[in-house]
C-alpha cells in the first residue's frame, strides 16, 4: 500500500534519507518524493530545474503498516502519516494510478509540450497528454500549468512544466 507522510516543507529529502536509513527494507519497500521539471530563466538562459511536486509530503510503499508506524517514531522531523483521526489511510488506486501516470518509475513529471490552437491548448507530449481538463491556469511566460487534483482526501493545487507554442493558422488559398 502507498502511504503519505507529512513533513516540514523544505525538509523532504533529508527526512526521506532518514526513513530509508532507519527503517528496514522489509517494512519500507520504497520511500520517494515526486518531482516535476520546469524551465526557469536565469541570467537570460532557460535552465531545466527539478522541483518537489507536493511540498511537505513524502510517499512510502509498505505492506506492514503497524511496523511502519513504529519505525517512523525513530525519524526526527516526521509530522504524521496522512489519515482521518487515528486511522492511517493509504492512497486510493486512482491516486496511485495518477502518480504513476504523471511521474513514471523515476518519480519525475517531465515537461509537457503543447500547442495553442485558437484559445485552446492541446497537449502533444508529456504527463499532461489527454489531461487538458485538469489544467486550471497556464502561465505562458513562466512556462507552467496549474492544476487542481483530488489527492490525500482533498483538492491539491500543483504546478507542472508546460511548453506551449503557437499554432499557425492556415489561411485558405484564394482562387
Amino acid at each position: 500500500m502507498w502511504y503519505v507522510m507529512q513533513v516540514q516543507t523544505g525538509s523532504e529529502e533529508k527526512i526521506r534519507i532518514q526513513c530509508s536509513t532507519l527503517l528496514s527494507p522489509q517494512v519500507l519497500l520504497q520511500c520517494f518524493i515526486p518531482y516535476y521539471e520546469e524551465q526557469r530563466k536565469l541570467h537570460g538562459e532557460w535552465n531545466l530545474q527539478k522541483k518537489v511536486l507536493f511540498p511537505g509530503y513524502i510517499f512510502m510503499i509498505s505492506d506492514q503498516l503497524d511496523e511502519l508506524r513504529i519505525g517512523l517514531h525513530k525519524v526526527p522531523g516526521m509530522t504524521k502519516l496522512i489519515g482521518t483521526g487515528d486511522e492511517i489511510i493509504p492512497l486510493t488506486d486512482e491516486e496511485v494510478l495518477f502518480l504513476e501516470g504523471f511521474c513514471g518509475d523515476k518519480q519525475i513529471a517531465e515537461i509537457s509540450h503543447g500547442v495553442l490552437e485558437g484559445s485552446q491548448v492541446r497537449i502533444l507530449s508529456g504527463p499532461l497528454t489527454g489531461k487538458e481538463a485538469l489544467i486550471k491556469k497556464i502561465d505562458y511566460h513562466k512556462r507552467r500549468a496549474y492544476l487542481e487534483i483530488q489527492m490525500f482526501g482533498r483538492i491539491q493545487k500543483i504546478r507542472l512544466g508546460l511548453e506551449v507554442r503557437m499554432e499557425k493558422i492556415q489561411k485558405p488559398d484564394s482562387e
Side-chain angles (χ1 to χ4, degrees):
M1 305 293 275
W2 289 40
Y3 299 96
V4 180
M5 179 172 56
Q6 189 172 23
V7 299
Q8 183 176 0
T9 301
S11 67
E12 298 91 355
E13 189 61 34
K14 179 179 86 174
I15 295 175
R16 184 197 65 78
I17 292 168
Q18 289 175 356
C19 289
S20 297
T21 304
L22 297 172
L23 280 90
S24 160
Q26 289 77 28
V27 173
L28 183 62
L29 303 175
Q30 191 174 359
C31 183
F32 62 93
I33 303 164
Y35 288 92
Y36 71 96
E37 293 178 338
E38 72 174 10
Q39 292 280 356
R40 297 255 354 230
K41 197 168 195 176
L42 298 170
H43 309 294
E45 298 283 326
W46 286 101
N47 296 294
L48 187 66
Q49 292 190 337
K50 190 171 79 168
K51 303 279 188 150
V52 176
L53 184 59
F54 297 99
Y57 296 98
I58 297 174
F59 292 74
M60 304 176 164
I61 301 175
S62 177
D63 294 329
Q64 303 175 32
L65 177 58
D66 292 333
E67 289 83 0
L68 178 64
R69 197 183 235 171
I70 291 165
L72 287 175
H73 288 295
K74 300 178 206 170
V75 178
M78 191 273 292
T79 304
K80 65 177 181 173
L81 285 169
I82 300 295
T84 57
D86 290 335
E87 184 181 1
I88 306 304
I89 299 175
L91 292 181
T92 65
D93 291 342
E94 294 81 19
E95 291 169 331
V96 170
L97 286 173
F98 172 83
L99 283 170
E100 289 176 334
F102 264 64
C103 300
D105 293 337
K106 296 185 282 182
Q107 282 86 32
I108 299 174
E110 296 174 345
I111 294 176
S112 292
H113 295 84
V115 293
L116 185 62
E117 298 174 334
S119 63
Q120 297 295 316
V121 171
R122 184 169 53 94
I123 305 299
L124 303 173
S125 66
L128 288 172
T129 303
K131 297 178 178 67
E132 290 88 349
L134 294 176
I135 299 172
K136 299 300 177 194
K137 178 183 165 188
I138 296 175
D139 185 333
Y140 296 99
H141 181 70
K142 292 187 177 180
R143 300 179 181 188
R144 291 182 190 146
Y146 295 87
L147 291 73
E148 290 182 0
I149 58 166
Q150 183 73 28
M151 185 74 64
F152 322 135
R154 60 188 172 120
I155 299 292
Q156 293 285 323
K157 295 179 180 184
I158 63 170
R159 67 184 190 196
L160 295 173
L162 175 62
E163 297 277 340
V164 177
R165 63 179 164 78
M166 305 297 268
E167 188 73 8
K168 293 184 179 178
I169 299 173
Q170 296 284 332
K171 293 185 180 178
D173 294 335
S174 54
E175 296 176 21

